[in-house]
Amino acid sequence: MAREGAGLFAAFRVLGRFSGHVPHVLRYHGRHREFYVAVAVGRSVHTYNVSTRRPGNTLPQDIVCLAADRMLIFASYDNILHAFARNKEVVHTYEGHKARIHLLQPFGDHVISVDVDNVLIVWNVQLEEEYLQIDFDKATFAVSALLHPSTYLNKILLGSEQGTLQLWNIRSNKLLYSFPGWGLAVTTLEQAPAVDVVAVGLVSGHIIVHNIKYDETLMKFQQDWGPITAISFRTDGHPVMAAGSPVGHIALWDLEEKKLMCQMQDAHSTAIAGMTFLPGEPLLITNGADNALRVWIFDGPGGTGRILRSRIGHSAPPTKIRYHGQNGEQILSAGQDGTLQSFSTIHEKFNKSLGRGSINKKKSKKKGLKLDTMALPPITTFASEVAHQSDWDGIVACHQGYITCTTWNYQKTSMGAHKLRPEEFSKHKPVDIYATAVDITSCGNFAVIGMSTGQVDVYNMQSGIHRGHYGKETAHEGAIRGVAVDGLNQLVITAGSEGLIKFWKFKMKDLVYSTEFSSSPSGILLHRDSGILGVAFDDFTISVLDIETRKIVRAFTGHHGRINDMTFSPDGRWLITSSMDCSIKTWDLPSGCLIDCFLVDSAAVSLAMSPTGDFLASAHVDDLGIYLWSNRSLYSLVSLRPLPADYEPSLVTLPSTCPIQDVDVPGDEPCDEMIEYVSPEQLGEQLVTLSMLPESRWKNLINLDIIKKKNKPREPPKLPKSAPFFIPTLPGLIPQYIPPEEENDKQSKVVNLGVLAQKSEFHIHLEEALSTNEYKAPLDLLKSLGPSNIEVELRGLAPEGGGSTELMLSFLRMIGVMLNKKHNFELAQAYLALFLKLHLKILSSEQKLLEELSKLSMQLEETWIHLRALFNQSLCVLTYMKSALL
């Protein structure tokens, strides 16, 4: 059974993806007068103008080929070709290939594509129609490179795996010339700054600078690093050619002296996918499959380049991610490439790379990246704390199969000063002993490290000095699966592979409590603010312990694979877990139920919930990115009710590089369980319930006569006498107005009681209620009136005001009904008080009214005794809590 509507988390975007194996393309925007670099990242295209990035729309599959002209960017996946406009909108789609496209070349108003079956198609860009199709024999001419020579109208140059080259006229569909080649497969073709000259890269590492007009080889170079992957020429006045290699090195060749000028080794850790010099500038742009995009500037002596700008992510999948700090803006990530990096959720310019761990950093710099024997293994787990991070190192990390733990400094973005290992292993390095778990105290002063031998040690982060260990020799008989320190440095919790979880005093190192489980813990996670400990077991179950009572408060089952990671929501209400069964589940701790579950393509190896609760970050198997999922409960109506037992989770696509707007889908209408709850007027008949009216409607009813007396004006307002149209004047030289005549008649202040003879609506409802005993209508009418009108209605109940004793009796019964229902309790008190004040003399002379009053008196006394007992009990408990020493 699938749940209606969207889940708790929605795909937002991915961090740390900057490049892939597809070469980048450079395009010039005439109106902006600026160069843009387009890079294929998975299913999206990123467009950079050196400082900013603009992600484009996402295609259904990963992009395998990229090209661009002055207006459009062309991207292909499988056998389909798309054209992007304005860097984001797919405006054209070209379908006709039957195999995967692997070469693209813009060609004026056309675009040329070649698939792996050796079929070349020329497309009309605007009409999306085939202009020409050429089929090549794969045995004699398998197209491997494509180029449009400069100034060669309607002509293209094709390179083959057999080593031959062919020059074709596309308009006339004729083969103009066939070059014999050099007997080796052509890997790349590049136009030189000189007309008729083309650089040809071969699979053997040779670079042939050839004149295609006269079919002459001008110069020949050779690299020992394997096939040529990319070629580019400087056009800023320096005759330099750059060539890329599969091992990540770049060779710079001097074309005047025809020799190697310099080498840029380890420019990328993988093959150079694309390489382009900016026209007229000493800038070289390179990208590779190591998830790096770099801009090199050549402004120093020797002709070598230095990095000007770069966007770098993990070159191997991340293994552990954690939020750094409490603002939720930085995510620390450790990858299988051995690096520790920080990714910003705000903007890429705030990303940091803390580098790669090394035994000796000076020796590592001398040997380089490839020959570095001092490099440490990848980080398996780490812990960070922002307290005192400006004074000393604030990050401690464990390395795969390595006994030494390293410290890292976030402020300096480098490895720290200390290497933490037990004293008995300071002189020699054991083979089968390594660190397995680590935690850092909330104050940032101490690090607690667990070993595979069961030993748990404490180190000082400032000095790196060993401060003791837990247990006589070892804390556990088996390997340590997890360590945690509470928020006040009082308790240390350790989990061992033998199935025990132990609680230790942090300072005295004494064992406080030990509990045994039927299955071995695979990991623990402590929510310091609430004191809740999450424990994952090898049998795919999860238990939640309260570290104060040391009892299991919740137990969850449902995963069908090893639990990789857990994370708590900031308020400790949710526990989110990921497993090798490719599911991500959210458990509600107060109710003890599963409230959200979804599936992903690849299992999440690490999870981290933002300290602000807005995002869930995840890292996945064989994936270089860190994926952000937005918490939909913060901005929309989400059902948090338990999922049914037969719930079938849906497969959710991982976020793309551009932020995804959470739009309303027609099928995602809220179901019955998501309708907002409306509270009834009265929760229970035994509860005393107040009305929702403001205090000004009832609080001052009994003092209304005093308020009127205070607000009474000193003299009544006088109406201005209406002036005549022509104001009369006295005869004479000086014009004078005739004074108005004083009127002696005064208006009478005696109220004519005749107007009160007509019965009001309230009186009519009270008379009807005598027979029906339904007092809802008169009560609703009173609740809608203001204080002055209420007094007028109650004063008119007396016989001298136009009422009768029956009306007064009906009013008292209405008050009795209100007291019986215990609803509108304060209104009943206020209305009765005003009624007694106005009609006390009449009530004492009428026997029927006295009997009704005696019944009301008993009801009031009984209700008040019950309320007073509850008030006194609450006051006693409050006084005790404030004064007693608990």
Side-chain angles (χ1 to χ4, degrees):
M1 173 182 176
R3 182 175 61 183
E4 297 180 6
L8 182 58
F9 295 103
F12 185 65
R13 68 186 181 102
V14 64
L15 305 177
R17 293 291 303 273
F18 302 107
S19 177
H21 66 281
V22 180
H24 68 267
V25 292
L26 189 69
R27 58 187 292 262
Y28 180 74
H29 198 290
R31 189 173 60 183
H32 294 172
R33 296 184 179 180
E34 195 170 15
F35 284 98
Y36 290 91
V37 181
V39 185
V41 180
R43 297 178 290 121
S44 301
V45 178
H46 291 187
T47 305
Y48 294 86
N49 62 341
V50 181
S51 59
T52 61
R53 174 177 69 94
R54 300 177 184 177
N57 277 354
T58 302
L59 297 181
Q61 298 180 25
D62 288 348
I63 297 171
V64 296
C65 203
L66 199 65
D69 61 10
R70 64 183 186 89
M71 294 297 294
L72 300 173
I73 296 176
F74 301 94
S76 69
Y77 67 90
D78 198 18
N79 60 343
I80 300 176
L81 176 62
H82 292 281
F84 290 90
R86 290 175 290 277
N87 301 327
K88 58 181 180 179
E89 299 174 9
V90 176
V91 292
H92 299 296
T93 301
Y94 309 93
E95 299 182 10
H97 282 284
K98 297 181 180 179
R100 180 176 60 87
I101 299 172
H102 73 112
L103 292 175
L104 286 178
Q105 176 65 50
F107 195 69
D109 294 334
H110 300 79
V111 61
I112 304 171
S113 60
V114 183
D115 60 25
V116 294
D117 284 348
N118 239 20
V119 177
L120 183 147
I121 299 179
V122 182
W123 303 91
N124 187 305
V125 173
Q126 297 298 327
L127 301 179
E128 302 181 8
E129 296 176 352
E130 287 187 17
Y131 175 79
L132 177 67
Q133 179 173 330
I134 306 174
D135 294 343
F136 294 91
D137 186 6
K138 215 169 186 180
T140 59
F141 195 86
V143 181
S144 60
L146 178 65
L147 174 70
H148 168 53
S150 180
T151 70
Y152 279 58
L153 188 65
N154 300 326
K155 300 174 183 65
I156 60 170
L157 181 66
L158 302 176
S160 68
E161 295 179 1
Q162 287 76 18
T164 58
L165 285 78
Q166 293 182 3
L167 184 66
W168 283 77
N169 187 314
I170 295 300
R171 188 168 185 178
S172 61
N173 191 15
K174 290 182 179 181
L175 174 62
L176 301 180
Y177 189 78
S178 182
F179 299 87
W182 299 268
L184 296 169
V186 177
T187 57
T188 182
L189 294 172
E190 182 66 24
Q191 174 68 50
V195 181
D196 303 325
V197 179
V198 173
V200 183
L202 304 180
V203 71
S204 61
H206 289 83
I207 306 170
I208 311 297
V209 180
H210 197 74
N211 188 312
I212 59 175
K213 184 175 182 180
Y214 300 105
D215 193 8
E216 294 180 356
T217 298
L218 304 180
M219 56 190 77
K220 187 176 182 180
F221 306 102
Q222 183 178 2
Q223 294 179 183
D224 298 331
W225 300 322
I228 305 299
T229 58
I231 299 175
S232 185
F233 291 89
R234 285 185 69 171
T235 56
D236 60 336
H238 296 266
V240 175
M241 178 183 67
S245 66
V247 294
H249 304 328
I250 297 175
L252 298 173
W253 301 90
D254 191 327
L255 299 178
E256 282 188 351
E257 299 184 6
K258 300 181 180 180
K259 67 177 183 178
L260 180 67
M261 187 172 66
C262 63
Q263 298 178 6
M264 296 167 56
Q265 294 198 359
D266 301 323
H268 289 267
S269 60
T270 59
I272 305 293
M275 186 166 53
T276 310
F277 275 103
L278 256 67
E281 297 185 33
L283 298 178
L284 176 66
I285 302 172
T286 62
N287 79 297
D290 60 346
N291 198 17
L293 177 66
R294 293 184 172 97
V295 179
W296 308 80
I297 185 170
F298 296 83
D299 57 353
T304 187
R306 62 178 178 87
I307 295 179
L308 178 64
R309 294 184 181 90
S310 64
R311 290 285 186 266
I312 305 173
H314 283 294
S315 59
T319 56
K320 196 77 171 181
I321 57 172
R322 287 292 180 264
Y323 272 90
H324 184 66
Q326 298 300 317
N327 55 8
E329 295 179 358
Q330 297 290 338
I331 298 177
L332 284 175
S333 172
Q336 294 178 11
D337 55 357
T339 61
L340 182 65
Q341 301 196 29
S342 172
F343 296 100
S344 172
T345 60
I346 305 300
H347 196 277
E348 292 173 356
K349 65 182 179 182
F350 300 118
N351 292 356
K352 295 181 180 181
S353 177
L354 279 70
R356 183 172 180 172
S358 176
I359 301 174
N360 190 316
K361 289 192 288 185
K362 291 184 178 178
K363 291 184 179 180
S364 295
K365 287 183 178 179
K366 290 181 180 179
K367 292 187 176 182
L369 186 63
K370 299 289 184 183
L371 302 175
D372 186 11
T373 58
M374 296 289 176
L376 289 173
I379 295 173
T380 56
T381 182
F382 64 89
S384 68
E385 188 59 52
V386 294
H388 296 294
Q389 72 171 0
S390 58
D391 302 324
W392 53 78
D393 301 339
I395 304 171
V396 59
C398 297
H399 297 265
Q400 182 179 351
Y402 203 69
I403 191 171
T404 303
C405 290
T406 55
T407 59
W408 300 73
N409 196 301
Y410 186 80
Q411 298 282 359
K412 297 178 181 178
T413 63
S414 65
M415 197 174 74
H418 306 299
K419 295 178 176 60
L420 311 177
R421 70 163 67 185
E423 295 177 351
E424 58 267 27
F425 302 113
S426 58
K427 294 183 179 180
H428 65 282
K429 174 186 168 185
V431 178
D432 55 345
I433 301 175
Y434 52 91
T436 57
V438 67
D439 196 14
I440 189 170
T441 57
S442 58
C443 60
N445 287 308
F446 299 97
V448 182
I449 300 172
M451 313 293 292
S452 60
T453 58
Q455 185 175 343
V456 179
D457 298 281
V458 182
Y459 297 88
N460 186 279
M461 289 293 293
Q462 182 179 6
S463 61
I465 299 174
H466 184 263
R467 294 298 185 187
H469 60 86
Y470 294 92
K472 292 183 179 181
E473 294 182 357
T474 60
H476 290 265
E477 296 179 0
I480 301 298
R481 296 289 181 84
V483 295
V485 187
D486 69 345
L488 299 176
N489 292 1
Q490 298 296 314
L491 285 176
V492 173
I493 303 106
T494 60
S497 60
E498 76 278 7
L500 290 176
I501 290 182
K502 296 182 178 181
F503 295 80
W504 309 81
K505 287 186 178 179
F506 177 80
K507 187 175 182 181
M508 304 303 295
K509 313 289 190 301
D510 297 332
L511 180 63
V512 178
Y513 183 77
S514 177
T515 179
E516 186 175 3
F517 294 92
S518 59
S519 180
S520 299
S522 61
I524 63 173
L525 178 68
L526 177 65
H527 188 261
R528 286 176 174 170
D529 293 341
S530 61
I532 295 177
L533 181 72
V535 185
F537 294 96
D538 288 340
D539 60 355
F540 315 147
T541 60
I542 304 162
S543 294
V544 180
L545 280 76
D546 185 355
I547 65 172
E548 294 294 332
T549 61
R550 302 181 183 95
K551 293 182 179 179
I552 297 177
V553 294
R554 293 290 184 271
F556 303 118
T557 59
H559 281 295
H560 302 290
R562 183 174 66 87
I563 297 172
N564 294 327
D565 203 2
M566 302 179 292
T567 183
F568 283 100
S569 61
D571 56 0
R573 187 179 181 89
W574 299 338
L575 176 63
I576 307 163
T577 59
S578 65
S579 170
M580 289 304 293
D581 59 6
C582 297
S583 65
I584 297 178
K585 298 188 176 185
T586 304
W587 311 87
D588 186 65
L589 296 184
S591 64
C593 298
L594 177 68
I595 59 173
D596 187 72
C597 177
F598 62 93
L599 299 176
V600 288
D601 291 325
S602 59
V605 296
S606 187
L607 292 176
M609 189 73 178
S610 169
T612 55
D614 49 358
F615 290 112
L616 172 69
S618 64
H620 297 262
V621 175
D622 295 334
D623 202 304
L624 301 180
I626 298 173
Y627 295 90
L628 293 183
W629 309 81
S630 61
N631 183 2
R632 296 184 67 250
S633 66
L634 298 180
Y635 57 86
S636 64
L637 188 62
V638 180
S639 171
L640 297 179
R641 294 196 176 186
L643 298 180
D646 57 347
Y647 175 73
E648 295 179 1
S650 57
L651 183 65
V652 179
T653 305
L654 292 176
S656 62
T657 51
C658 52
I660 298 174
Q661 302 294 331
D662 193 19
V663 297
D664 294 333
V665 183
D668 289 351
E669 297 179 358
C671 54
D672 294 338
E673 64 177 11
M674 296 173 61
I675 297 176
E676 189 175 356
Y677 174 74
V678 179
S679 176
E681 293 186 359
Q682 190 174 14
L683 296 178
E685 294 182 357
Q686 73 279 7
L687 299 177
V688 172
T689 307
L690 305 181
S691 68
M692 300 299 291
L693 293 180
E695 291 184 351
S696 58
R697 292 283 192 93
W698 56 268
K699 192 172 183 179
N700 297 317
L701 278 177
I702 196 169
N703 300 320
L704 203 59
D705 53 345
I706 302 174
I707 295 173
K708 286 184 177 181
K709 187 178 291 186
K710 286 183 178 180
N711 296 336
K712 184 179 180 181
R714 296 181 180 179
E715 55 184 22
K718 296 180 180 179
L719 291 173
K721 187 177 180 181
S722 57
F725 185 78
F726 295 104
I727 301 177
T729 57
L730 294 173
L733 296 175
I734 299 173
Q736 293 182 356
Y737 296 105
I738 299 176
E741 298 179 357
E742 295 184 1
E743 297 180 357
N744 295 326
D745 55 333
K746 294 183 179 179
Q747 186 178 2
S748 175
K749 294 183 180 180
V750 178
V751 179
N752 184 8
L753 294 179
V755 297
L756 300 177
Q758 188 177 2
K759 292 181 180 179
S760 67
E761 187 178 357
F762 178 63
H763 291 184
I764 296 173
H765 287 314
L766 281 180
E767 288 179 349
E768 293 175 354
L770 278 175
S771 57
T772 60
N773 203 24
E774 290 290 338
Y775 291 95
K776 187 177 184 307
L779 178 59
D780 290 343
L781 184 60
L782 273 186
K783 289 170 68 175
S784 64
L785 299 177
S788 298
N789 292 335
I790 292 174
E791 187 198 21
V792 171
E793 294 290 355
L794 296 190
R795 194 182 292 276
L797 294 177
E800 62 268 17
S804 63
T805 56
E806 285 76 11
L807 285 177
M808 299 175 71
L809 181 64
S810 180
F811 179 81
L812 291 175
R813 289 179 179 174
M814 182 185 74
I815 300 296
V817 170
M818 295 170 67
L819 294 176
N820 283 333
K821 292 184 177 180
K822 297 182 181 179
H823 191 28
N824 299 314
F825 190 73
E826 83 280 20
L827 295 184
Q829 307 290 330
Y831 294 162
L832 183 60
L834 179 60
F835 182 77
L836 294 176
K837 181 178 180 180
L838 295 176
H839 307 299
L840 189 59
K841 293 182 179 179
I842 303 174
L843 292 173
S844 58
S845 60
E846 293 289 340
Q847 185 64 28
K848 292 182 180 180
L849 299 179
L850 285 175
E851 292 177 359
E852 194 66 31
L853 280 175
S854 62
K855 294 180 182 179
L856 286 179
S857 178
M858 293 174 62
Q859 285 181 324
L860 284 170
E861 187 176 359
E862 181 182 349
T863 306
W864 174 243
I865 290 173
H866 177 64
L867 281 177
R868 185 169 57 187
L870 294 177
F871 287 150
N872 290 338
Q873 182 181 3
S874 301
L875 289 173
C876 288
V877 173
L878 182 61
T879 306
Y880 173 74
M881 296 293 291
K882 290 170 63 177
S883 61
L885 297 176
L886 298 177

